[in-house]
């Protein structure tokens, strides 16, 4: 078990450009979550998937944000027309739906800097 | 809406000593989970300890233990015999009890713990 992985680890882009991040969950986990963490704050929920279905989206997820999990395995988070306010750490987590706690395990994050 | 408050932005402890990090939360629900996560500098967040609200017994994991006061909506983390590797940002988090649909984590703003020699 290699844990949750995210790619890239760092991304610097210019305002107005599009960016895409990838998350690979723990292999048997059927739930995948995206969070955003700004400096000095705790992570804030963006969206989550159960298998390939996107079941909940936060109000933080504006129309410029889109997430997919096409085959119920890896997920991508795309931000279109980036703004400086999008600069943050984007965290991915995964969990296994079972009768236990559905504990979420986090990846290392992708740090986005919008110039 | 549920909220989680960590009123201590920074704490410091000497190696081998004990430190307690505070967390309070607000919810109208009766069944939920509480978590403490640790985020070392430039490293990923890892789960430290978990508490089910329906359990009266406080959770313990080696040197880490919690003091869960449901009526007061308080959930503090005690770290005993502090080690240099405990230095990190600690986040308290809340989640509704698993009911068949996934539930997001709601985090506090974190407490940065420094461990000194």
């Amino acid at each position: 078990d290699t844990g949750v992985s995210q790619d890239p680890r760092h991304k610097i882009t210019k305002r107005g450009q599009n960016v895409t991040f990838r998350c690979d969950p723990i292999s048997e986990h059927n739930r995948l979550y995206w969070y955003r963490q700004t400096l000095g704050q705790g992570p804030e929920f963006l969206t989550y998937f159960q298998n390939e279905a996107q079941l909940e989206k936060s109000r933080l997820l504006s129309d410029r944000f889109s997430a997919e999990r096409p085959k119920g395995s890896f997920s991508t988070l795309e931000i279109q027309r980036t703004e400086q306010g999008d600069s943050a750490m984007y965290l991915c987590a995964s969990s296994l739906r079972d009768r236990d706690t559905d504990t979420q395990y986090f990846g290392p994050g992708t740090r986005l800097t919008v110039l | 809406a549920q909220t989680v408050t960590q009123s201590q932005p920074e704490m410091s402890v000497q190696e081998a000593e004990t430190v307690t990090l505070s967390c309070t939360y607000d919810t109208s629900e009766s069944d939920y989970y509480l978590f403490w996560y640790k985020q070392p500098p430039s490293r990923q967040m890892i789960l430290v300890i978990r508490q089910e609200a329906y359990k009266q017994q406080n959770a313990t994991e080696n040197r880490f233990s919690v003091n869960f006061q449901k009526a007061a909506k308080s959930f503090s983390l005690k770290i005993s015999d502090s080690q240099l590797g405990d230095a990190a940002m600690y986040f308290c988090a809340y989640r509704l009890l698993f009911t068949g649909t996934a539930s997001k984590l709601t985090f506090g703003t974190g407490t940065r713990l420094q461990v000194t020699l």
Side-chain angles (χ1 to χ4, degrees):
Chain A
D1 182 358
T2 57
V4 179
S5 61
Q6 293 187 245
D7 184 69
R9 296 291 303 276
H10 303 274
K11 178 71 176 179
I12 299 174
T13 190
K14 293 182 179 179
R15 188 174 47 148
Q17 298 295 304
N18 298 343
V19 295
T20 300
F21 311 140
R22 176 179 171 124
C23 171
D24 287 89
I26 294 171
S27 58
E28 67 270 22
H29 284 187
N30 54 4
R31 291 185 165 174
L32 187 149
Y33 305 77
W34 285 99
Y35 292 83
R36 181 171 71 185
Q37 185 179 19
T38 54
L39 201 61
Q41 300 295 316
E44 295 175 293
F45 171 78
L46 292 179
T47 188
Y48 102 88
F49 293 83
Q50 180 164 304
N51 300 314
E52 65 275 10
Q54 188 174 18
L55 298 187
E56 187 175 352
K57 293 195 292 186
S58 162
R59 291 172 299 171
L60 294 175
L61 212 64
S62 75
D63 291 344
R64 297 184 297 105
F65 289 70
S66 62
E68 294 183 343
R69 194 182 183 198
K71 298 183 179 179
S73 57
F74 73 91
S75 174
T76 58
L77 177 68
E78 181 184 17
I79 309 174
Q80 296 182 328
R81 305 180 303 280
T82 52
E83 301 172 356
Q84 288 184 327
D86 297 331
S87 295
M89 176 77 86
Y90 289 84
L91 298 171
C92 177
S94 70
S95 69
L96 177 65
R97 177 186 175 182
D98 60 15
R99 296 178 64 183
D100 198 358
T101 61
D102 199 26
T103 297
Q104 296 178 30
Y105 296 89
F106 283 81
T110 294
R111 182 170 296 283
L112 173 66
T113 302
V114 181
L115 302 176
Chain B
Q2 294 82 18
T3 59
V4 178
T5 301
Q6 293 180 251
S7 59
Q8 304 157 316
E10 291 189 9
M11 293 283 286
S12 182
V13 63
Q14 282 191 321
E15 199 176 18
E17 296 297 310
T18 296
V19 65
T20 299
L21 308 184
S22 301
C23 172
T24 59
Y25 58 95
D26 187 24
T27 183
S28 57
E29 304 290 338
S30 58
D31 295 323
Y32 48 87
Y33 291 108
L34 295 166
F35 304 85
W36 280 97
Y37 279 89
K38 170 185 176 181
Q39 188 176 42
S42 302
R43 295 181 62 186
Q44 66 198 79
M45 197 170 311
I46 58 174
L47 178 67
V48 174
I49 199 165
R50 175 184 65 227
Q51 174 78 43
E52 293 87 344
Y54 59 86
K55 290 186 178 179
Q56 292 186 335
Q57 187 173 6
N58 288 326
T60 62
E61 287 288 344
N62 300 315
R63 297 182 295 109
F64 298 87
S65 62
V66 298
N67 183 5
F68 173 50
Q69 301 290 329
K70 191 172 184 179
K73 297 181 182 175
S74 170
F75 182 61
S76 61
L77 174 69
K78 186 172 80 171
I79 306 174
S80 303
D81 186 25
S82 297
Q83 300 174 359
L84 293 178
D86 295 333
M89 190 72 121
Y90 286 81
F91 290 98
C92 178
Y94 164 101
R95 185 175 75 75
L96 282 172
L97 184 67
F98 176 71
T99 59
T101 59
S103 184
K104 64 187 178 186
L105 288 167
T106 300
F107 287 87
T109 52
T111 296
R112 183 171 302 281
L113 179 66
Q114 293 182 320
V115 182
T116 59
L117 294 172

